[in-house]
Amino acid sequence: MSVFSGLEEIVEPNHVLAPHTWYRLGGPADYFIRPRTVEELREVIRRCGENDIPSHVLGLGSNLLVSDEGVRGAVIKLTGEQFEKVEYQNDQVTAWSGAELTQLVMHCVEKGLSGIETLSGIPGSIGGAIRMNAGGRFGDIGSAVESVTLMDNKGTLFEKSKPELAEVSKITSEPIDGEVGRTSEVAMLCSFVQLDKAIPLLLDMRDDLKAVRKTTEATLEETKAIRKTTDTTLEEIKGLREDIQPG
């Protein structure tokens, strides 16, 4: 019986990861899993733990290089309606980990909410941005995040708030039961972000932020083109090597 019996709709064995990364690099994962609900995620995490299968959470792949040899274990992609939700309540935002950071920034600006506008143009998911504390010289996402909800490798939900958020990057990749070489990532489900009320100047920034995003998307297309050219060059080199092989 398969480890993921009954979950065939969301589990793809030997799934190539290249289409899920910005640089279109990466071999196959043993299991590529896209849970649709928190309960499905919990079941996936539980089975991985019971069968000693390492699990890794994949965001938008914008800051990620994957070996052509692929990834052993399960790669979990938090996407779809459940994990891409963003909920607004006055100046407070609950953003799920699969939501896109650039879209969140734009929507907050359109609503006149200030606090994360300096992150415009930084690609990635909310979960990935928080784990790496995305930002730059003018600010980072950590300054706006009040708390995060996570799921451990046994499927248990727990919350981390300031000042514990400094430990989020560490706890999302700790060894299982302290065993070196056997790790399983903690999944970040959602975050609670505290922003400031409308600032008139912020509304004037909308066109500028759209331009930044357009530039970022153009850079991605250029990167794809470079990758395609590199692949072509490598094939030509292989052809030349075959031609000069001693007979």
Side-chain angles (χ1 to χ4, degrees), residues 36-182:
R36 297 162 295 191
T37 66
V38 174
E39 286 306 315
E40 284 186 345
L41 174 61
R42 179 180 284 112
E43 183 63 18
V44 166
I45 294 294
R46 185 184 66 80
R47 295 197 194 186
C48 285
E50 290 178 350
N51 293 275
D52 293 327
I53 298 175
S55 61
H56 314 273
V57 180
L58 173 66
L60 294 187
S62 58
N63 191 29
L64 183 68
L65 292 176
V66 179
S67 168
D68 288 340
E69 296 179 359
V71 177
R72 306 288 69 81
V75 173
I76 302 171
K77 176 80 170 176
L78 299 181
T79 187
E81 183 178 354
Q82 173 70 69
F83 298 107
E84 295 178 356
K85 288 191 302 185
V86 178
E87 301 163 317
Y88 299 90
Q89 185 175 6
N90 298 320
D91 56 352
Q92 299 171 343
V93 179
T94 299
W96 285 67
S97 61
E100 188 178 338
L101 178 60
T102 54
Q103 290 184 358
L104 177 64
V105 171
M106 181 61 66
H107 291 161
C108 286
V109 169
E110 290 174 345
K111 293 177 181 293
L113 297 174
S114 173
I116 60 172
E117 62 275 4
T118 59
L119 305 178
S120 178
I122 298 178
S125 65
I126 298 300
I130 293 175
R131 175 172 176 176
M132 300 187 67
N133 194 25
R137 60 187 298 183
F138 299 110
D140 55 59
I141 194 169
S143 61
V145 176
E146 292 294 320
S147 65
V148 296
T149 300
L150 306 106
M151 179 182 291
D152 66 17
N153 51 51
K154 295 180 180 178
T156 302
L157 293 176
F158 64 102
E159 186 175 287
K160 289 286 183 180
S161 303
K162 288 182 177 179
E164 297 176 301
L165 290 179
E167 298 295 313
V168 166
S169 179
K170 177 183 176 182
I171 64 176
T172 51
S173 56
E174 285 184 334
I176 299 176
D177 298 327
E179 186 176 335
V180 177
R182 183 166 166 252

